[in-house]
Amino acid sequence: MASCVMRQATADAGATFIDIQALGQDMSNRASAEQYFEHAGVAAHPGDKGMLATADAIVAAIEAKAGDSQKP
């Protein structure tokens, strides 16, 4: 549901939506997979692996847009 709202808001703004929701389902992407955090909210945030996966998704979206703009 939230993803639908974000997709629509992104489209309304003329921006590109990057769906990284699946990254949050992989527990190895969380900071808690790398070390212990007492605060559950901090532990649930992306760790290094999750941040790299997020960056990779952003770069892929940029490259896809760049490829689209280079088509005749």
Side-chain angles (χ1 to χ4, degrees):
M1 176 72 169
S3 140
C4 293
V5 172
M6 288 188 286
R7 279 182 198 279
Q8 186 60 52
T10 304
D12 292 348
T16 300
F17 179 78
I18 303 168
D19 188 356
I20 58 168
Q21 185 174 359
L23 298 178
Q25 304 305 313
D26 181 349
M27 299 299 236
S28 71
N29 284 324
R30 294 185 179 191
S32 60
E34 298 170 13
Q35 69 183 52
Y36 173 75
F37 291 95
E38 188 171 325
H39 191 279
V42 173
H45 274 78
D48 291 345
K49 181 183 175 200
M51 290 293 200
L52 179 59
T54 301
D56 287 345
I58 293 168
V59 169
I62 291 169
E63 289 175 342
K65 275 288 196 199
D68 286 349
S69 67
Q70 293 175 8
K71 292 180 182 175

